[in-house]
Amino acid sequence: MKYLKSGLVMALITLLFSGTFYASANARELVIIANKDYPLNSISASVVKNIYLGEKTAEGGVKIKPMEQRDEAIKKRFIEKIMGSSVDGYKAYWIKKFFQEGVTPPTAKGTPSEIIQAISQTSGAIGYVWEDDLKDASGVKTLLKIEVGN
């Protein structure tokens, strides 16, 4: 009986760890990228949030130009994970901010290659893409990686 219990415990531990490793191995990473000349080499999620709320507009004398995706899947993950909001809540925030303060929301780009290209060509630009979209990207640097699940 003692060996049976030990065997069951080991089997459960093995299943638990294999499930954890499988889930993390297949989790997608969203990356915050910036123009290669951006003043910082890393950034925190809270600073990214302030940038995308229009609260932080410059870094080291460089005007920050946030760009976002039109792709609803990545945009939803970004807004939920980094902004701590729903897509509708985020849109409502920017409508209010635009009409009350005249602040322009982040520029939206269509495809990952378009956003990478725009960021590489724009001083102070910052945006987000899936990590696997950066394969052959040049002119940008990764500031932050965020695991967002599958």
Side-chain angles (χ1 to χ4, degrees):
M1 188 70 168
K2 180 180 174 183
Y3 294 111
L4 180 60
K5 284 183 183 177
S6 295
L8 286 173
V9 170
M10 290 305 292
L12 287 172
I13 291 171
T14 302
L15 283 173
L16 177 65
F17 280 118
S18 65
T20 302
F21 291 136
Y22 178 77
S24 64
N26 289 321
R28 287 194 90 175
E29 282 192 314
L30 185 139
V31 292
I32 306 300
I33 60 171
N35 180 278
K36 67 179 180 346
D37 296 328
Y38 194 78
L40 302 176
N41 290 319
S42 66
I43 196 167
S44 70
S46 62
V47 172
V48 172
K49 181 177 180 177
N50 287 335
I51 290 169
Y52 278 85
L53 289 176
E55 302 298 324
K56 181 169 181 63
T57 59
E59 186 67 64
V62 176
K63 182 173 174 20
I64 301 172
K65 298 171 185 110
M67 297 183 184
E68 63 184 8
Q69 297 262 352
R70 284 198 178 115
D71 178 309
E72 291 300 320
I74 190 171
K75 187 174 185 175
K76 182 177 188 284
R77 293 282 178 89
F78 173 80
I79 291 170
E80 289 173 351
K81 191 76 171 180
I82 299 294
M83 305 307 292
S85 178
S86 66
V87 173
D88 289 341
Y90 182 70
K91 287 179 183 177
Y93 171 86
W94 272 107
I95 289 169
K96 182 179 175 183
K97 191 159 185 84
F98 177 77
F99 284 108
Q100 288 182 348
E101 299 176 28
V103 178
T104 305
T107 304
K109 297 292 179 187
T111 65
S113 60
E114 288 173 347
I115 199 166
I116 292 166
Q117 181 179 11
I119 290 170
S120 72
Q121 296 172 350
T122 308
S123 177
I126 189 169
Y128 55 91
V129 295
W130 294 120
E131 183 179 34
D132 51 344
D133 290 329
L134 285 176
K135 286 179 223 158
D136 299 317
S138 62
V140 298
K141 61 183 170 182
T142 299
L143 300 178
L144 178 66
K145 291 182 181 184
I146 304 118
E147 190 174 298
V148 293
N150 298 325

